């Protein structure tokens, strides 16, 4: 039932999700992200729009963890290098959770008991996103350090292999 | 805290700041967060180059050790440069704030930081110019965008002028042709006057001044490196190549970026050059002193650029060559194309380049007497002078990254593509708005390719990597070709983060692989020493 309710409201929820996340950026960036430009001129906008839709449909649909992970990863790879604390980098998931709560709470046709169950279900679903997200975030950060170390090593190795003495 | 201003617990948890600082750019202070800036320059390199105000300082500390009269020094520096460089004055005056450049910078696209919009980056200088060099600014102040220069402002200059790769993408979209890269160059020059620069620009410049190349490699080690490459060419192809160094009276002086002889994957490009020159019997020489095509002086100041560039013509003269060929370097070509002739010319001791194989006269280089290796090679292919077997590159599925300087500063768009299409069988372009004049920067040029700046590099490189990802998914691309030493060093980490599984290679690596040369062995391995068939199977799988 929750699935139907959310699917029915999918377009509105996705729009709100995107708008709220984008408004977390500085005003000039928010304008850019809501503005035009194709997926190459405006890659962050494109990634958020595409992957929000994917996450939404994988969350209750087919897909499974692997596709969900890929969708999350495509977003978190970006937020992990955008000057954000871990909680901010994953903030978009909490925005979704709030939105789902709002949707359920606002439906006048549901009785209190059903609403309660639905809210619990929303918590479970978004919790699983959060735990997947934290793993991905840590992997991204580890990758950055790994790349940095590799770069230092390869610079040294290239120079030493050719017997070059470098002295400033 | 008043009731309305309290942040709701939900918002804290959500990590979303629904109300980002409403302060305008002038009042938002710069935050030096590790991972997003390059280390400051140690005094010894400034001293070596005879630069003003050498001192030890760290950009993330409060006190930058500025001299008491820092403001006068900057104003005097601005006055001098406004007089000397017409473009600087014009660029300060004519921006109409139309915003066409605003969303064209890869750093803004990747980071969302407004001061990475080219118009605001330039405004950091322009606001000071307005206040102290124009009447309107003196009278009306902030109202016309004028701003008093403070120590905070200097820190902002440092942060954002070393967060511009001088790639010039923004200038392509500006209706007035304002070149923010030139404004960045001015900003960096002014910072130099206070002893402020980054290590990764000044140290290579100092090394280059001492030994002729950025790494400080001395002539004997340079010779060893080139000979080492000749041995590797022999091991992989069975062809014995010669690489003359400092040979007087050769027809051509060949200058390549130093990374070609110590970096990977640059080294395979070097092997490609060696094979090509051998195949066409080019009468040429390397120089152990002009052992660097790159010029980190470009990222430092006009004077430094001139000083470091000078050695190329100097060596051409000393070695009595007729003309110069330059290797796969990026910013070398900006220096060459836009400044070299006026800085260190005229080159009346050289001749207009003429290919000894095809007889083609490169008239566009009539003044500089220096051509790009891709012009030389494309001309050879056009005249059918090379025996090629492109199938030896079948393990590569290639796309081409136009490096900012050869593409935008020099217009070298067709030659590399023409070469690749003739020496490889699998080539796919990235989308139109990410290549040629509109190419996206690697995010690490102009001295910003340091490991400590990795986060900023990854942000700035996102638009480039995003287009690579697209062709990887669509066409199975597994190799990003380019013609720039900085690209070859900085694209691999970029791709490792954003698009794992795509390698980086120089154009002449493919040329070397495809060339059929008399006396060669079975050619079962490529220039990387990898078995070709096995690699091909791996790719197809
Ligand atoms: S030159 Fe390149 S890096 Fe600098 S502001 Fe323009 S687009 Fe950005
Ligand atoms: S495009 Fe040119 S005129 Fe327009 S805001 Fe940018 S620099 Fe100024």
């Amino acid at each position: 039932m929750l699935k139907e309710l959310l699917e029915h409201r999918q377009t509105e929820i996705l729009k709100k999700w995107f708008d709220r996340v984008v408004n977390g950026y500085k005003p000039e960036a928010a304008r850019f992200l809501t503005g035009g430009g194709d997926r190459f001129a405006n890659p962050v906008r494109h990634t958020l729009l595409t992957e929000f839709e994917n996450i939404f449909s994988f969350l209750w649909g087919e897909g499974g963890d692997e596709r969900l992970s890929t969708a999350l990863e495509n977003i978190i790879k970006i937020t992990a290098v955008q000057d954000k604390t871990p909680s901010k980098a994953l903030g978009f998931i909490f925005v979704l959770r709030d939105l789902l709560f709002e949707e359920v709470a606002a439906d006048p046709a549901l009785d209190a008991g059903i609403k309660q169950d639905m809210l619990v279900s929303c918590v479970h679903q978004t919790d699983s996103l959060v735990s997947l997200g934290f793993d991905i975030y840590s992997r991204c950060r580890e990758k950055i350090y790994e790349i940095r170390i590799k770069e230092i090593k390869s610079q040294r190795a290239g120079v030493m292999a050719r017997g070059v003495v470098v002295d400033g | 805290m008043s009731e309305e201003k309290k942040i709701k617990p939900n918002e804290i948890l959500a990590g979303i700041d629904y109300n980002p600082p409403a302060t305008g750019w002038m009042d938002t202070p710069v935050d030096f967060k590790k991972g997003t800036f390059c280390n400051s320059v140690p005094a010894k390199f400034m001293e070596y180059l005879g630069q003003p105000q050498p001192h030890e300082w760290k950009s993330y500390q409060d006190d930058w050790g500025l001299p008491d009269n820092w403001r006068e020094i900057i104003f005097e520096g601005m006055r001098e440069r406004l007089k000397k460089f017409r473009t600087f004055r014009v660029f300060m005056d004519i921006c109409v704030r139309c915003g066409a450049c605003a969303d064209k910078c890869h750093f803004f696209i990747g980071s969302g930081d407004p001061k990475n919009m080219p118009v605001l980056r330039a405004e950091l200088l322009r606001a000071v110019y307005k206040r102290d060099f124009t009447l309107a600014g003196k009278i009306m102040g902030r109202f016309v965008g004028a701003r008093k220069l403070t120590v905070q402002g200097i820190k902002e200059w440092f942060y954002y002028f070393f967060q511009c790769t001088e790639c010039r993408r923004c200038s392509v979209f500006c209706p007035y042709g304002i070149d923010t890269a030139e404004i960045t160059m001015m900003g960096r020059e002014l910072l130099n006057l206070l002893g402020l620069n980054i290590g990764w620009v000044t140290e290579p410049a100092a090394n280059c001044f001492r030994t002729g190349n950025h790494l400080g490699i001395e002539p004997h080690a340079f010779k060893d490196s080139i000979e080492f490459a000749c041995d590797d060419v022999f091991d992989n192809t069975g062809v014995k190549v010669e690489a003359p160094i400092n040979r007087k009276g050769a027809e051509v002086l060949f200058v390549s970026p130093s990374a070609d002889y110590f970096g990977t994957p640059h080294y395979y490009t070097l092997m490609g050059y060696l094979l090509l020159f051998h195949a066409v019997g080019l009468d040429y020489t390397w120089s152990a002193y002009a052992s660097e095509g790159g010029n980190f002086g470009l990222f430092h100041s006009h004077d430094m650029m001139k000083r470091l560039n000078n050695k190329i013509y100097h060596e051409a003269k000393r070695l009595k060559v007729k003309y110069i060929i330059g290797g796969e370097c990026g910013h070398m070509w900006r220096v060459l194309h836009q400044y070299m002739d006026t800085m260190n010319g005229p080159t009346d001791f050289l001749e207009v380049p003429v290919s000894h194989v095809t007889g083609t006269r490169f008239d566009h280089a009539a003044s500089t007497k220096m051509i790009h290796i891709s012009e030389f090679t494309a001309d050879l292919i056009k005249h059918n002078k090379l025996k090629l077997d492109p199938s030896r590159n079948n393990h590569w599925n290639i796309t081409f990254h136009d490096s900012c300087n050869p593409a935008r500063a020099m217009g070298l768009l067709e030659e590399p593509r023409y070469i690749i299409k003739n020496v490889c069988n699998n080539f796919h372009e990235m989308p139109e708005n990410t290549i040629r004049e509109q190419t996206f920067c690697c995010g690490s040029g102009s001295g910003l390719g340091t490991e400590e700046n990795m986060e900023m590099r990854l942000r700035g490189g996102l638009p480039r990597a995003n287009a690579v990802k697209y062709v990887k998914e669509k066409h199975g691309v597994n190799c990003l070709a380019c013609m720039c030493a900085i690209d070859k060093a900085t694209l691999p980490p970029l791709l490792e983060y954003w698009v794992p599984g795509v390698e980086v290679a120089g154009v002449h690596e493919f040329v070397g692989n495809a060339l059929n040369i008399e006396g060669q062995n079975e050619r079962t391995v490529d220039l990387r020493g990898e078995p070709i068939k096995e690699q091909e199977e791996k790719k197809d799988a």
Side-chain angles (χ1 to χ4, degrees):
Chain A
M1 217 170 140
L2 176 63
K3 190 180 164 200
E4 283 80 54
L5 167 75
L6 296 176
E7 268 172 9
H8 178 65
R9 294 272 304 154
Q10 176 165 345
T11 317
E12 291 81 359
I13 297 174
L14 285 176
K15 187 176 175 323
K16 277 192 200 162
W17 190 11
F18 178 77
D19 287 347
R20 285 191 195 177
V21 168
V22 160
N23 281 331
Y25 283 83
K26 297 223 170 85
E28 294 86 347
R31 263 201 303 282
F32 172 57
L33 291 172
T34 42
D38 67 10
R39 58 184 291 186
F40 305 108
N42 203 338
V44 177
R45 167 190 159 84
H46 175 81
T47 306
L48 293 179
L49 284 173
T50 315
E51 302 306 359
F52 280 0
E53 197 174 334
N54 283 337
I55 291 170
F56 197 84
S57 59
F58 297 155
L59 203 52
W60 274 277
E62 301 301 299
D65 267 10
E66 207 177 305
R67 293 174 75 182
L68 206 49
S69 275
T70 310
L72 283 171
E73 187 177 319
N74 286 336
I75 298 174
I76 295 169
K77 261 189 177 176
I78 296 173
T79 56
V81 294
Q82 275 189 336
D83 234 352
K84 294 180 192 295
T85 55
S87 63
K88 282 199 175 186
L90 298 183
F92 67 95
I93 303 173
F94 297 102
V95 173
L96 173 66
R97 192 203 51 189
D98 285 359
L99 271 169
L100 298 181
F101 277 16
E102 285 168 26
E103 284 297 322
V104 173
D107 193 329
L110 301 173
D111 75 43
I114 294 177
K115 273 190 183 173
Q116 189 65 32
D117 289 349
M118 283 185 170
L119 289 175
V120 170
S121 170
C122 290
V123 170
H124 284 162
Q125 295 292 1
T126 45
D127 272 359
S128 70
L129 283 184
V130 171
S131 59
L132 270 176
F134 268 117
D135 288 349
I136 294 167
Y137 178 83
S138 321
R139 275 208 304 278
C140 289
R141 298 300 308 179
E142 271 167 30
K143 190 79 204 166
I144 296 169
Y145 289 112
E146 196 188 306
I147 291 171
R148 286 179 64 172
I149 289 165
K150 214 161 137 184
E151 191 163 281
I152 299 172
K153 279 189 184 159
S154 74
Q155 273 169 4
R156 293 227 173 104
V159 171
M160 312 247 286
R162 288 171 189 114
V164 175
V165 181
V166 184
D167 178 19
Chain B
M1 196 183 263
S2 74
E3 195 54 33
E4 313 79 74
K5 282 196 183 149
K6 238 183 229 163
I7 302 170
K8 295 184 205 116
N10 254 356
E11 289 179 10
I12 297 174
L13 194 59
I16 292 286
D17 185 356
Y18 287 115
N19 299 301
T23 51
W25 69 269
M26 281 197 195
D27 305 310
T28 312
V30 54
D31 176 20
F32 282 85
K33 185 173 166 267
K34 285 203 171 173
T36 66
F37 58 90
C38 297
N39 290 342
S40 37
V41 56
K44 63 176 178 177
F45 300 119
M46 297 289 280
E47 275 159 11
Y48 188 83
L49 290 166
Q51 291 298 296
Q53 313 288 345
H55 65 290
E56 297 297 338
W57 60 286
K58 296 274 174 275
S59 44
Y60 48 84
Q61 288 170 351
D62 267 356
D63 183 3
W64 282 20
L66 299 183
D68 292 341
N69 61 338
W70 66 267
R71 200 179 268 118
E72 285 86 73
I73 295 176
I74 290 287
F75 285 159
E76 189 44 43
M78 275 183 86
R79 206 166 295 126
E80 197 188 314
R81 282 160 184 79
L82 285 163
K83 222 157 104 193
K84 200 158 144 199
F85 304 111
R86 204 177 141 262
T87 44
F88 184 30
R89 172 145 230 149
V90 170
F91 292 164
M92 287 295 100
D93 279 329
I94 62 169
C95 171
V96 294
R97 296 207 179 80
C98 68
C101 62
D103 57 358
K104 303 304 186 295
C105 176
H106 48 285
F107 282 116
F108 177 66
I109 296 174
S111 72
D113 180 346
K115 282 180 204 159
N116 274 320
M117 298 193 294
V119 55
L120 266 197
R121 198 189 304 285
E123 209 61 24
L124 296 176
L125 248 177
R126 195 175 282 123
V128 174
Y129 166 77
K130 281 207 177 117
R131 182 178 186 274
D132 294 282
F133 293 85
T134 69
L135 192 60
K138 276 183 188 140
I139 298 168
M140 296 196 276
R142 258 185 180 234
F143 190 65
V144 289
R147 181 200 203 192
K148 185 174 181 213
L149 184 60
T150 59
V151 171
Q152 262 308 316
I154 291 289
K155 292 185 175 182
E156 221 171 15
W157 281 12
F158 178 82
Y159 193 63
Y160 289 102
F161 291 137
F162 286 99
Q163 216 168 91
C164 163
T165 44
E166 302 184 358
C167 78
R168 306 175 76 224
R169 186 171 197 267
C170 49
S171 74
V172 172
F173 299 89
C174 173
Y176 294 90
I178 294 177
D179 184 352
T180 305
E182 293 245 353
I183 296 172
T184 293
M185 287 160 80
M186 285 299 126
R188 290 187 184 188
E189 283 209 9
L190 293 170
L191 288 166
N192 273 332
L193 302 176
L194 303 179
L196 308 175
N197 205 310
I198 60 170
W200 191 234
V201 163
T202 316
E203 181 177 348
N207 284 340
C208 203
F209 195 55
R210 189 167 59 88
T211 65
N213 58 67
H214 291 154
L215 266 197
I217 296 168
E218 291 173 354
H220 60 285
F222 169 76
K223 181 167 175 279
D224 286 352
S225 303
I226 300 288
E227 283 171 359
F228 204 84
C230 292
D231 292 346
D232 280 346
V233 167
F234 181 74
D235 289 347
N236 292 335
T237 66
V239 180
K240 202 151 181 34
V241 296
E242 300 276 332
I245 298 173
N246 293 351
R247 186 165 67 83
K248 284 194 177 159
E251 187 176 349
V252 172
L253 167 65
F254 181 65
V255 181
S256 85
S258 59
D260 283 353
Y261 51 89
F262 72 82
T264 310
H266 315 61
Y267 189 62
Y268 312 120
T269 302
L270 164 63
M271 289 159 79
Y273 307 147
L274 293 171
L275 273 171
L276 175 76
F277 297 158
H278 174 87
V280 298
L282 182 70
D283 174 18
Y284 83 109
T285 183
W286 294 79
S287 157
Y289 308 105
S291 49
E292 178 66 75
N295 186 333
F296 271 41
L298 171 70
F299 313 140
H300 185 280
S301 59
H302 279 79
D303 286 343
M304 197 59 64
M305 165 169 55
K306 181 176 172 173
R307 249 159 109 178
L308 300 185
N309 173 261
N310 189 34
K311 66 178 184 283
I312 297 182
Y313 281 156
H314 191 271
E315 278 296 89
K317 195 170 188 178
R318 187 179 73 88
L319 296 171
K320 297 191 170 53
V321 300
K322 288 187 181 154
Y323 71 98
I324 309 165
I325 298 181
E328 292 189 15
C329 185
H331 64 279
M332 164 188 198
W333 294 98
R334 174 149 197 219
V335 175
L336 174 114
H337 206 64
Q338 298 189 307
Y339 309 109
M340 185 166 170
D341 207 12
T342 27
M343 275 184 330
N344 290 318
T347 50
D348 41 12
F349 51 92
L350 293 171
E351 294 174 15
V352 179
V354 175
S355 168
H356 74 288
V357 189
T358 64
T360 300
R361 206 179 121 98
F362 295 94
D363 278 318
H364 65 284
S367 185
T368 60
K369 321 286 196 307
M370 182 159 175
I371 57 167
H372 191 284
I373 189 165
S374 71
E375 296 173 299
F376 180 72
T377 309
D379 175 63
L380 290 168
I381 296 174
K382 183 89 185 159
H383 288 87
N384 219 3
K385 299 292 183 193
L386 300 179
K387 294 193 188 84
L388 298 166
D389 178 0
S391 76
R392 252 184 249 122
N393 283 313
N394 276 357
H395 53 306
W396 293 125
N397 191 344
I398 298 155
T399 193
F400 181 67
H401 161 66
D402 291 271
S403 306
C404 303
N405 286 306
R408 267 193 287 271
M410 217 194 154
L412 211 57
L413 306 170
E414 298 310 327
E415 288 83 348
R417 292 181 162 78
Y418 180 74
I419 298 171
I420 292 172
K421 285 178 191 162
N422 276 280
V423 299
C424 306
N425 287 322
N426 314 305
F427 175 70
H428 298 279
E429 288 279 18
M430 284 181 277
E432 212 183 329
N433 53 349
T434 72
I435 54 169
R436 296 177 181 266
E437 290 91 346
Q438 297 188 48
T439 186
F440 275 118
C441 180
C442 63
S444 306
S446 81
L448 308 189
T450 64
E451 56 83 22
E452 71 267 15
N453 192 35
M454 190 57 81
E455 279 189 53
M456 189 53 69
R457 289 167 57 188
L458 292 173
R459 285 180 210 171
L462 165 64
R464 169 74 302 151
N466 177 56
V468 176
K469 186 164 183 257
Y470 175 76
V471 284
K472 178 181 187 250
E473 283 163 5
K474 191 159 179 216
H475 304 291
V477 160
N478 66 0
C479 185
L480 180 60
C482 59
M483 294 199 302
C484 163
I486 289 181
D487 281 337
K488 283 173 201 156
T490 63
L491 288 173
L494 183 76
L495 298 182
E496 186 175 342
Y497 184 78
W498 294 111
V499 206
V502 178
E503 302 267 332
V504 175
V507 173
H508 280 77
E509 179 181 343
F510 307 129
V511 173
N513 280 340
L515 266 177
N516 274 328
I517 302 171
E518 216 168 294
Q520 69 186 13
N521 62 19
E522 296 289 298
R523 304 290 302 267
T524 50
V525 296
D526 63 10
L527 291 182
R528 300 187 175 202
E530 306 272 359
I532 294 174
K533 275 275 159 292
E534 239 171 66
Q535 295 293 105
E536 213 178 309
E537 280 157 21
K538 213 162 102 190
K539 180 196 109 205
D540 294 339

